[in-house]
């Protein structure tokens, strides 16, 4: 929430008919996403979205549009990102909005926009829906970072169009959406050039931008449209998406919020504000999956794995934005492991189908979103649960898991078991590029592979502990106390220390562009977002646009 | 400096006769470094160094001891780190000291201690002086992080000896010296176990510590000494260091400070507080290197490459600790490129010699220290300079370099040239594991190799620019203005934004344990060091030991 303002819940659900800021158009296998931000359409009062600058509301629409292009438009092989305004591409995140936002809001906003930029790159690489960018006017800060997320940047060579990252010189903060990392790690701009460019208010235009690898090509303004069309067509021609297929409809997501209870079809969440805990129960499938691929397509958004991805995604976003004081998310599942497993088999059997591919990728992105959420993740594995395959990822993503060994007195159900499926061995990598199993067994890289022999077996608590899949396995005597104490102790720690600790422990092993953005660049940005030089009374972010000059504490830290 | 206190210059130069806190003893090929901190021996007033807790002064001695073991004791193949106290190993960094320190002091302290831990690992891996740790009493926080830097941790199994990282639960900060990263990335402790361990005030002891990979072995207290001796002897037996050789003496470093002028034998530094700039001139060798390896040994600390390493190291540490407002370090060189090159050839020719190996490693560490310094690094390449080989690393380390194309009016010297030597192609990797050349040409990995064909050639400004070795090459008309404007603009930016930007741009490409510690863990720690939950009036770090309870803002960020 904004400092001092009343809490206003952010709803991440939207649909094209409600868009204020983006125009989506289609031309055969090419879609165009034109940014045309409505100045008075800010999510909150207090700022005008001038010069195609954006706030969270603009980005929520972008996120929705990207999702729909993937699911609803199998025929689209290339997407052109451009500006719908005459004289500007995009001025980046709105400064007044940032300025009136709390620290937490700024950080959460940057995280979501980062996730959306990553989704653009994933669509290009894995959905084979290739994004390119037509820079048709000045393109600064977050605007250029949006361009950087695409695979090919074409810039008008017209004297006024530039790319720029003016955050450091103008605002005393970093480009907040991966810009610095993408410069040196994705586009491999030479570091001294990246340094110079990132300190240049006015940016770089024309041929020098190409020589320095900041854009891929420049063309005269008059030829921009044609060149963009040609490049898009070339990319669309290389897709493996089926031109003649029919998309599915991402029907409105049903969600009921009643006090602390948030209910979806596949998830129930109880927010306990006193304890600072969200108790999240994921329900397994109600029955077997449709028998054929055609039937899966016909089921569409109601297909359990897709419904789960959408609902879990929405819940994570909701809790992150609207429940800042809920520091612990406790996951449970209930249902039939057999039914989860048979759904997982369907996801594997039809992996080559475009829609099933999209569903798998959506689940992957959603689990990644969970991994980078600054909340403590606990999983409780009890009788009646169905931690199999896709749902076992919730336990593997957790900072800590507790599995009841045996049953509580009076419970006549079978003791809890966990079950591996093929979906635990590849389709859901973390941001570090490893599966959660591989990240778990960095000490024995072969161990994750060995576990393939246990696929489809029910592992009770001793077996799961021996396999290294769960943290603790208390019996009925210790269960209630151990879980309670674990959660209470966690809730008593400093939220900030936990955030730094979790970010440091969750992603061992290799680093990727994504992991660098989330765990390195974001950490620096968060630090800078706290510094008086940016956000103090005389800080650059604070005085921007007021005519006052910023004043800096010159001590280097 | 401590908040509110008068500036007190820190001197990083010391020698064994002055040690207050460490006892060094020798037994054949085994040395023992026993930590025995003098409670009243703090670097500054206001805290007692109880329970073998440490401050910067304790770590300066440790750093010195490690350096001397390498250079003065070729016969030492294994080093045992242990405590000289009866009842405690080490309680970590002193909390009162941290508490009374400014943000900048805390961050700089952690950086130096991190560098020293990394040097312990490098000594084990590359000097073949293998560190092991005898944990002979409670070992918490920074104490355990010191143990983690060694190659083999032996813990007494005696009921009271534990290892612990209690920072998160007790102090609301992170372990500041690489602990979290070393847990999951070096020791590959399973992430959920690392999570549990890092939230446990009381730590873990005995066999469970071995099972969880927190230590390598536990032995009964009565057998500790013997086991440690045996392990150390095994390690010493595997070294390639020459048992019969004679070390060289690291003679006292001569340094004169006169107002803003700091003068060493090989370096002159002029601190311009008005502009916020340190103008650093490195002088090339005064003559050719000694003709034989024996003569190099006889020259000892006066051998130019070693003198350079020591003096540059000291200058970096001095400026970091004592000149916080000097945000830009401008490097120049003067002297003969031929003489630098012939010294580089000596370093290559005798690479197998233990002393020459140490000198190369020391230069490597010193350039790394430069890379991770939170200062803007500019290099000016002018007539009379000697940016060849080892000294060219100063230009390659820079955020930006300017090379004068031609000469200024009236200057009769030859135009500036830069020169590559074999030393630019391997011996000086950055913390990311790549040479500065490879880090520079991430876009064309073959390019650094191609440049080998240019070794020993003088490259003038156009040639250096074409080779990608320098950023800008203004001619005599533009030189003065371009350099002046570049520096003035830099000095006007927010120091914090520059720190985050430089940390993000300097280390493209792969990540290592070291780069993760400096660029990820440290960034999170810096953020947490700013947060009211740690350092506010009711923050955990602030109220620790006062009997008051900390109060946290529960919002997760």
């Amino acid at each position: 929430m904004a400092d001092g303002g009343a809490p206003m819940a952010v709803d991440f659900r939207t649909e094209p008919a409600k868009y204020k800021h983006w125009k989506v158009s289609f031309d055969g296998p090419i879609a165009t996403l034109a940014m045309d931000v409505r100045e008075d359409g800010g999510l909150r009062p207090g700022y005008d979205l001038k010069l195609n600058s954006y706030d969270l509301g603009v980005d929520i629409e972008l996120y929705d549009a990207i999702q729909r292009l993937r699911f609803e438009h199998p025929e689209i092989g290339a997407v052109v990102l451009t500006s719908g305004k005459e004289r500007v591409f995009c001025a980046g995140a709105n400064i007044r909005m940032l300025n009136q936002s709390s620290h937490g809001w700024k950080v959460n906003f940057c995280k979501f926009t980062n996730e959306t930029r990553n989704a653009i790159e994933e669509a290009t690489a894995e959905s084979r829906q290739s994004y390119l960018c037509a820079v048709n006017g000045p393109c600064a800060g977050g605007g250029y970072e949006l361009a950087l997320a695409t695979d090919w940047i074409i810039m008008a060579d017209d004297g006024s169009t530039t790319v720029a990252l003016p955050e450091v010189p103008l605002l005393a903060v970093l480009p907040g959406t991966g810009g610095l990392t993408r410069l040196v790690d994705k586009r491999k701009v030479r570091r001294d050039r990246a340094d110079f460019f990132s300190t240049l208010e006015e940016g770089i235009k024309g041929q020098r931008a190409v020589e320095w690898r900041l854009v891929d090509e420049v063309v005269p303004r008059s030829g921009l449209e044609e060149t963009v069309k040609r490049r898009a067509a070339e990319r669309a021609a290389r897709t493996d998406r089926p031109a003649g297929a029919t998309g599915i409809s991402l029907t409105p997501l049903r969600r009921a919020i009643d006090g602390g209870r948030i209910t979806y079809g596949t998830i129930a969440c109880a927010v306990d504000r006193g304890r600072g805990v969200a108790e999240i129960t994921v329900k397994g499938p109600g029955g077997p999956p449709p028998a054929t691929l055609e039937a899966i397509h016909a089921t569409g958004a109601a297909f359990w794995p897709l419904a789960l991805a959408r609902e879990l995604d929405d819940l994570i976003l909701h809790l992150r934005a609207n429940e800042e004081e809920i520091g612990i998310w406790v996951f449970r599942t209930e249902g039939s492991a057999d039914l989860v497993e048979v759904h997982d088999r369907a996801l594997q059997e039809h992996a080559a189908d475009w829609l099933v591919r999209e569903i798998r990728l959506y689940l992957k992105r959603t689990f990644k979103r969970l991994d980078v959420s600054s909340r403590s993740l606990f999983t409780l594995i009890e009788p009646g649960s169905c931690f199999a395959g896709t749902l076992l990822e919730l336990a593997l993503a957790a900072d800590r898991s507790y599995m009841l060994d045996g049953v509580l007195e009076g419970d006549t159900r079978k003791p809890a078991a966990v079950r591996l499926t093929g979906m635990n061995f590849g389709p859901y990598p973390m941001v570090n590029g490893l599966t959660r199993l591989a990240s778990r067994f960095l000490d024995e890289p072969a161990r994750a592979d060995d576990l393939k022999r246990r696929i489809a077996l029910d592992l009770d608590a001793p077996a799961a502990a021996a396999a290294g899949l769960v943290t603790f396995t208390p019996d009925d005597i210790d269960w209630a106390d151990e879980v309670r104490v674990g959660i209470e102790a966690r809730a008593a720690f400093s939220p900030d220390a936990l955030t730094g600790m979790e970010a440091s422990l969750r992603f061992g092993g290799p680093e990727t562009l994504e992991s660098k953005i989330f765990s390195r660049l974001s950490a620096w940005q968060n630090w800078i977002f706290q510094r008086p030089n940016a956000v103090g009374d005389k800080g650059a972010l604070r005085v921007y646009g007021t005519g006052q000059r910023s004043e800096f504490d010159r001590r280097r830290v």
Side-chain angles (χ1 to χ4, degrees), chain A:
Chain A
M1 82 192 76
D3 275 332
M8 294 168 56
V10 181
D11 195 337
F12 288 81
R13 298 171 304 171
T14 188
E15 56 187 56
K18 295 182 182 163
Y19 291 177
K20 297 177 187 170
H21 307 295
W22 291 89
K23 298 192 164 53
V24 193
S25 57
F26 301 92
D27 180 9
I30 299 168
T32 298
L33 271 178
M35 189 176 197
D36 193 2
V37 176
R38 223 177 76 189
E39 281 197 18
D40 64 353
L43 193 63
R44 301 207 158 152
Y47 52 85
D48 292 330
L49 296 173
K50 292 185 178 165
L51 295 172
N52 252 7
S53 64
Y54 61 86
D55 69 354
L56 181 60
V58 177
D59 231 68
I60 288 172
E61 292 183 10
L62 173 63
Y63 175 59
D64 185 74
I66 292 167
Q67 293 280 53
R68 289 183 194 277
L69 283 170
R70 298 172 79 149
F71 282 96
E72 301 187 343
H73 295 279
E75 79 283 5
I76 295 297
V79 183
V80 177
L81 256 176
T82 191
S83 164
K85 305 262 189 234
E86 264 301 300
R87 288 194 168 72
V88 66
F89 178 82
C90 167
N94 187 274
I95 309 306
R96 278 176 184 273
M97 175 279 294
L98 283 178
N99 207 357
Q100 72 181 51
S101 299
S102 69
H103 182 62
W105 177 273
K106 281 200 278 281
V107 169
N108 193 50
F109 167 71
C110 287
K111 186 169 284 176
F112 178 72
T113 55
N114 267 314
E115 289 168 324
T116 304
R117 308 303 171 273
N118 293 346
I120 287 175
E121 287 176 336
E122 194 220 38
T124 298
E126 307 205 41
S127 287
R128 307 293 296 277
Q129 211 167 47
S130 190
Y131 277 72
L132 56 168
C133 188
V135 180
N136 54 349
C139 170
Y144 179 49
E145 291 177 294
L146 193 54
L148 283 171
T150 71
D151 215 34
W152 191 259
I153 307 173
I154 309 169
M155 181 164 71
D157 193 2
D158 64 0
S160 76
T161 298
T162 57
V163 290
L165 290 178
E167 283 85 346
V168 170
L170 274 187
L171 305 169
V173 300
L174 301 186
T177 331
L180 298 178
T181 307
R182 285 202 172 81
L183 277 185
V184 291
D185 273 301
K186 179 182 183 181
R187 299 190 64 90
K188 303 189 195 313
V189 174
R190 220 174 67 200
R191 51 169 285 214
D192 55 339
R193 289 173 166 173
D195 178 279
F196 181 71
F197 171 65
S198 306
T199 59
L200 213 59
E201 274 183 43
E202 67 273 24
I204 289 182
K205 64 186 172 184
Q207 201 51 43
R208 192 184 211 187
V210 178
E211 277 162 25
W212 283 28
R213 311 174 64 96
L214 302 170
V215 305
D216 294 289
E217 57 182 318
V218 288
V219 293
R221 183 79 184 212
S222 59
L224 183 65
E225 196 180 323
E226 194 210 311
T227 303
V228 168
K229 204 173 239 182
R230 193 171 66 244
R231 297 291 181 219
E234 288 163 11
R235 278 165 175 67
R238 292 200 296 265
T239 189
D240 64 359
R241 294 172 71 86
T246 305
I248 66 154
S249 177
L250 293 179
T251 51
L253 203 63
R254 283 169 207 274
R255 181 183 75 188
I257 300 187
D258 175 13
R261 300 202 63 83
I262 308 162
T263 313
Y264 302 86
T266 67
I267 307 177
C269 173
V271 173
D272 182 337
R273 299 208 172 83
R275 289 161 62 228
V277 173
E279 310 260 7
I280 300 166
T281 302
V282 176
K283 294 171 200 158
T292 65
L293 184 56
E294 292 65 37
I296 289 174
H297 279 247
T299 308
F303 183 45
W304 178 80
L306 178 54
L308 171 68
R310 294 184 72 198
E311 293 172 2
L312 182 57
D313 194 27
D314 186 72
L315 178 64
I316 295 169
L317 291 172
H318 172 79
L319 292 175
R320 287 202 322 208
N322 302 314
E323 298 286 358
E324 291 178 290
E325 298 202 5
I326 305 304
I328 308 179
W329 295 351
V330 177
F331 284 92
R332 291 180 178 82
T333 58
E334 62 181 41
S336 154
D338 291 338
L339 288 176
V340 177
E341 188 189 340
V342 64
H343 275 82
D344 274 8
R345 283 212 296 270
L347 293 178
Q348 292 182 269
E349 189 182 333
H350 304 300
D353 173 66
W354 76 267
L355 174 61
V356 172
R357 179 169 75 186
E358 285 306 332
I359 294 169
R360 291 162 53 119
L361 292 172
Y362 195 0
L363 283 163
K364 177 183 79 165
R365 293 194 299 280
T366 303
F367 291 133
K368 279 185 179 181
R369 207 194 280 287
L370 188 60
D371 293 327
V372 302
S373 292
S374 53
R375 299 294 190 279
S376 296
L377 307 174
F378 279 30
T379 296
L380 302 185
I381 305 171
E382 298 160 293
S385 65
C386 54
F387 283 99
T390 292
L391 292 186
L392 183 60
E393 294 293 314
L394 295 172
L396 299 175
D399 298 305
R400 201 181 294 179
S401 58
Y402 294 85
M403 183 170 184
L404 175 61
D405 185 0
V407 293
L408 299 181
E409 206 180 301
D411 189 342
T412 57
R413 294 173 298 179
K414 283 199 304 186
V418 299
R419 198 186 290 184
L420 293 158
T421 77
M423 295 304 283
N424 301 118
F425 293 87
Y428 304 135
M430 302 170 65
V431 293
N432 63 2
L434 301 181
T435 62
R436 283 175 194 78
L437 282 177
S439 292
R440 197 169 182 82
F441 303 121
L442 290 170
D443 58 331
E444 300 169 66
R447 189 156 167 187
D449 265 348
D450 286 350
L451 283 173
K452 283 186 183 161
R453 286 176 300 166
R454 317 288 288 274
I455 283 178
L457 301 179
D458 268 336
L459 305 176
D460 64 10
L469 297 174
V470 295
T471 318
F472 299 115
T473 54
D475 61 16
D476 62 328
I477 295 169
D478 296 325
W479 174 258
D481 273 355
E482 201 168 322
V483 169
R484 183 182 53 74
V485 168
I487 291 174
E488 282 178 6
R490 194 77 166 198
F493 298 146
S494 157
D496 308 318
L498 288 175
T499 292
M501 183 188 85
E502 290 156 3
S504 299
L505 297 179
R506 286 180 186 168
F507 310 103
E511 296 275 343
T512 65
L513 187 68
E514 279 185 62
S515 71
K516 281 189 177 190
I517 288 171
F518 285 117
S519 59
R520 186 163 103 164
L521 187 66
S522 297
W524 283 112
Q525 177 77 311
N526 293 358
W527 176 68
I528 291 165
F529 272 159
Q530 284 279 291
R531 299 285 292 158
N533 285 341
V535 298
D537 286 343
K538 302 279 185 180
L541 192 60
R542 189 60 67 99
V543 305
Y544 182 75
T546 64
Q548 288 180 68
R549 283 189 55 144
S550 49
E551 285 174 26
F552 295 139
D553 178 344
R554 303 249 47 111
R555 286 178 294 174
R556 272 287 195 134
V557 174

